[in-house]
Amino acid sequence: MTGKSTLLDGLRVHVGAPLPQEASVKNHAEARGRHRFLGGSPTVDLECPGRDTTAPLHEQWPAVFYTQTELQRLAESPDAVEDILARLVASETHVIKGLEECLIKFDESLAQSARDFVKLVDDVAEAEQAVQRSLRAAEELVAFSDAGVGTLNRVSSDLRRWRDFVKTATALASEIDSSLDSADFVEPPEIDDDLSGLLKSSGAAWRETDLSVRWERIRSLLKSAKDELVSTNALVRSIADVLEVHEDTVRVEVDRKLANHGLDGARISQLQALNAQASLLESYRANLSQVSDLLASVDRSFEIRRANRQSMVDKQREIYDRVIETVRVQFGGRILARRINDGRKGPLERFLRGFNQRGITRWWNDLPERQRPSPDGLLEKLETGDLGAVGMSEAVQATLLAQMTPSKRRELAALRCPDQYVLELKMQDGGYRPLRELSGGQRVNLLLSLMLETSDDRPLVIDQPEDELDNRFLFETMLPALKRLKGRRQIILATHNANIVVNGDADQVIQLEATADKGRVARAGAIEDPVVRDAIVRTVDGGDDAFRLRRLKYGF
């Protein structure tokens, strides 16, 4: 309890290095580093010769950290295993990383293309519907013309004019009749002698009988106008009645002819709208041609990019095959690596679960992992109608087929399940066991063997790796690797094991001491420094007496 783990976690948080992926391990490391170490406001100076001092700290010192349990948990991380293999052969690392970046961009591009395809399919369907509506409108107009709708419209228009005239004449007659009723109660005023004398003296031209005669003439004219309007109205009504009978005859004939075309006479009322719809036919056809061409272009581009992505996957597999062979040769068969094509089925699983169909989910869960198809494999079975070959019942097939619209098929075609790489360790019986099935110590043994042999030149920081390792592995694998890496890669180990410190030929030894709430550097320097050597003997060898006792026991 000298604060070694706290120090390493504090450095990890301080420089912004990636934290463990597992939530519980991540939270513990972050809390210890942020609150216990950085909470004391320590001064941390970073000296990285040749690095850009204005860059983020993790770019200046891109160290890779592992806690005591993190190495074991790497077995559950396909990304971590793949990264270790990618960095094993220096000449291949850059190419592998470049290909992986390109594949991710292809995945994103194809996913976006699938979304564009869905929208364009909808646009094409909408454009086709618009053309069909316009064609139907044009066909109806032709049928209307053949059925004599034009004649019917003219007859109806004439009938409306005559009926409007009847309404106007009737209203006028009513107004005249009302005026006559009013005139019956009006008597012109009389001109008395005083007014007569006044008018004469004014020189006004008048006759005594003028006003009454005029008023009688007005009443006579109103009566004559009323009689004439009534007579005219009767004539117009008779004409309108004839036109109405004629319109009914024409309408019956038009309805009969329209029925022969499968049309309803009620559609005649929409003739103006049909004319407008039919007039847009060429515009609709031009729009359909445009969106169809765009859809075809997107489709061609999608298939080209999909083929290019597969070529890139094939290239990546070729390179990893060389790395896999390097593992076999370099470790003399003690460690093997193999590839499962399209083995990381997460993208396809999320796609299928997105349907929220119990039958599809149950089929996927019940299917053995090695039998689960790739996106391309499932798409092929869909197109050939051979879904039974992947263990799907007829009921589940029907459910899936109902869900797989053209847009969903395109989304499926855009998916890629990355390859999975499996590391295996040779056991004492000569057989091999996969990484995830190994014990904690065996996992660390295998992973450290690979990590110490990679071309990765990033600083490596590990907290107490010996907790899961036996001394045979230390002496036969780890310590020789540490010596080979001297001068090429910075490695920092927190340890209680004297073999790592002494036989690993450490360049810098730092002894930590801690009280209940504080830690400090007690001693630091090279092993050759007597003070440092004494600290090693006392701290990790148990002191001089324990060291001499072991020497006597072993007979040295």
Side-chain angles (χ1 to χ4, degrees):
M1 302 296 292
T2 58
K4 298 186 299 301
S5 298
T6 301
L7 172 62
L8 296 187
D9 289 338
L11 289 176
R12 186 174 191 170
V13 173
H14 175 71
V15 301
L19 291 168
Q21 292 185 353
E22 186 174 338
S24 60
V25 181
K26 173 184 176 181
N27 294 337
H28 183 64
E30 186 173 23
R32 189 161 52 184
R34 191 175 304 282
H35 302 299
R36 293 182 62 184
F37 180 76
L38 296 178
S41 300
T43 299
V44 182
D45 295 324
L46 203 61
E47 295 182 8
C48 302
R51 296 281 184 172
D52 180 5
T53 57
T54 64
L57 293 181
H58 189 54
E59 291 183 14
Q60 294 184 47
W61 191 56
V64 183
F65 288 79
Y66 293 103
T67 66
Q68 291 171 279
T69 59
E70 206 168 347
L71 276 176
Q72 296 181 32
R73 306 293 172 84
L74 287 183
E76 308 299 329
S77 172
D79 286 332
V81 172
E82 189 172 327
D83 185 66
I84 291 172
L85 288 174
R87 297 179 183 277
L88 189 65
V89 181
S91 60
E92 308 286 12
T93 300
H94 180 71
V95 179
I96 289 175
K97 291 298 181 182
L99 284 172
E100 185 58 38
E101 290 179 3
C102 288
L103 282 171
I104 291 173
K105 289 180 180 178
F106 265 111
D107 292 341
E108 293 171 351
S109 173
L110 285 167
Q112 181 59 52
S113 181
R115 290 190 288 272
D116 293 342
F117 177 83
V118 172
K119 183 179 182 306
L120 284 171
V121 167
D122 291 341
D123 289 347
V124 169
E126 185 176 338
E128 287 176 341
Q129 289 175 359
V131 169
Q132 290 303 316
R133 287 196 300 270
S134 189
L135 285 171
R136 285 195 299 271
E139 291 172 357
E140 287 188 42
L141 289 175
V142 171
F144 286 164
S145 177
D146 292 344
V149 170
T151 300
L152 177 60
N153 286 338
R154 287 192 297 274
V155 171
S156 297
S157 178
D158 289 343
L159 178 58
R160 280 194 301 273
R161 284 198 301 273
W162 285 96
R163 283 175 174 167
D164 289 344
F165 185 86
V166 169
K167 290 179 182 178
T168 302
T170 301
L172 186 57
S174 177
E175 292 176 6
I176 292 175
D177 193 42
S178 177
S179 297
L180 278 172
D181 289 342
S182 299
D184 288 340
F185 295 97
V186 175
E187 290 292 338
E190 294 182 358
I191 300 175
D192 58 17
D193 293 339
D194 292 337
L195 179 57
S196 177
L198 179 62
L199 293 173
K200 287 178 181 180
S201 64
S202 68
W206 67 282
R207 289 195 303 248
E208 228 177 272
T209 58
D210 274 357
L211 188 58
S212 59
V213 171
R214 285 174 181 271
W215 187 250
E216 285 301 324
R217 189 163 58 246
I218 289 171
R219 291 179 62 195
S220 177
L221 289 172
L222 286 173
K223 188 175 183 306
S224 296
K226 176 185 175 183
D227 293 341
E228 191 64 31
L229 279 172
V230 170
S231 174
T232 301
N233 239 359
L235 175 63
V236 172
R237 284 180 185 278
S238 65
I239 293 173
D241 290 342
V242 171
L243 284 174
E244 186 170 358
V245 172
H246 181 56
E247 184 198 42
D248 289 341
T249 302
V250 173
R251 186 180 299 280
V252 169
E253 181 63 16
V254 168
D255 285 346
R256 184 186 66 77
K257 291 181 178 179
L258 288 177
N260 292 337
H261 287 282
L263 297 174
D264 185 352
R267 290 281 286 169
I268 296 175
S269 63
Q270 301 176 19
L271 192 59
Q272 185 175 359
L274 291 172
N275 273 307
Q277 188 72 254
S279 68
L280 295 173
L281 178 58
E282 292 308 314
S283 174
Y284 287 155
R285 280 175 169 166
N287 181 59
L288 174 59
S289 176
Q290 182 178 358
V291 294
S292 296
D293 289 346
L294 185 56
L295 178 62
S297 175
V298 168
D299 189 53
R300 288 192 299 271
S301 175
F302 180 87
E303 293 302 330
I304 290 171
R305 278 179 287 171
R306 191 161 167 250
N308 289 340
R309 183 180 66 178
Q310 186 57 47
S311 297
M312 201 166 291
V313 168
D314 294 340
K315 177 65 175 177
Q316 186 187 53
R317 287 172 178 172
E318 290 177 10
I319 297 173
Y320 268 114
D321 283 345
R322 294 197 291 269
V323 173
I324 288 171
E325 179 61 16
T326 299
V327 171
R328 187 190 67 80
V329 173
Q330 189 165 336
F331 293 94
R334 184 172 68 87
I335 298 174
L336 295 181
R338 59 184 174 86
R339 180 183 64 250
I340 302 175
N341 290 349
D342 311 307
R344 295 163 63 177
K345 296 296 196 301
L348 180 56
E349 181 171 337
R350 287 189 292 273
F351 172 80
L352 293 170
R353 291 189 186 279
F355 292 128
N356 291 321
Q357 294 291 329
R358 185 179 301 175
I360 296 174
T361 301
R362 185 182 296 117
W363 160 74
W364 180 262
N365 291 339
D366 292 345
L367 200 63
E369 190 170 342
R370 64 181 180 278
Q371 295 180 17
R372 291 176 177 175
S374 66
D376 286 349
L378 182 58
L379 188 63
E380 179 186 353
K381 299 304 180 186
L382 276 166
E383 292 173 349
T384 59
D386 192 22
L387 290 170
V390 290
M392 201 177 289
S393 68
E394 291 186 2
V396 175
Q397 290 182 47
T399 301
L400 182 63
L401 288 171
Q403 298 291 324
M404 293 304 296
T405 61
S407 60
K408 282 297 181 181
R409 288 174 185 260
R410 180 53 55 98
E411 186 179 340
L412 176 60
L415 287 181
R416 175 180 68 96
C417 289
D419 296 337
Q420 182 178 0
Y421 290 87
V422 179
L423 297 174
E424 298 177 319
L425 183 67
K426 190 173 185 179
M427 310 307 292
Q428 291 183 350
D429 61 4
Y432 287 86
R433 185 175 296 173
L435 177 63
R436 64 173 56 189
E437 297 179 12
L438 297 176
S439 66
Q442 291 170 330
R443 288 184 181 185
V444 175
N445 180 324
L446 189 157
L447 290 168
L448 272 180
S449 296
L450 289 173
M451 292 170 65
L452 294 174
E453 295 296 337
T454 66
S455 61
D456 192 355
D457 60 358
R458 295 175 298 175
L460 178 62
V461 184
I462 305 178
D463 187 9
Q464 294 182 210
E466 75 273 10
D467 284 0
E468 298 288 351
L469 301 176
D470 56 38
N471 282 327
R472 180 179 177 183
F473 175 78
L474 289 176
F475 279 96
E476 293 181 357
T477 302
M478 186 171 178
L479 296 180
L482 291 175
K483 291 179 181 179
R484 286 195 301 272
L485 290 172
K486 284 175 66 68
R488 184 165 66 85
R489 186 180 190 186
Q490 183 183 33
I491 298 180
I492 299 174
L493 302 174
T495 181
H496 290 286
N497 192 303
N499 290 320
I500 293 178
V501 179
V502 178
N503 295 305
D505 197 14
D507 290 320
Q508 176 81 347
V509 178
I510 301 172
Q511 180 194 17
L512 297 181
E513 291 181 351
T515 60
D517 57 352
K518 291 184 179 180
R520 68 183 186 88
V521 176
R523 295 166 187 81
I527 295 177
E528 292 77 15
D529 185 335
V531 175
V532 173
R533 187 171 60 246
D534 289 344
I536 294 172
V537 172
R538 185 170 58 258
T539 302
V540 295
D541 265 324
D544 291 339
D545 291 341
F547 184 80
R548 284 192 293 269
L549 180 59
R550 281 199 303 278
R551 184 177 61 181
L552 290 173
K553 290 286 186 180
Y554 286 124
F556 295 146

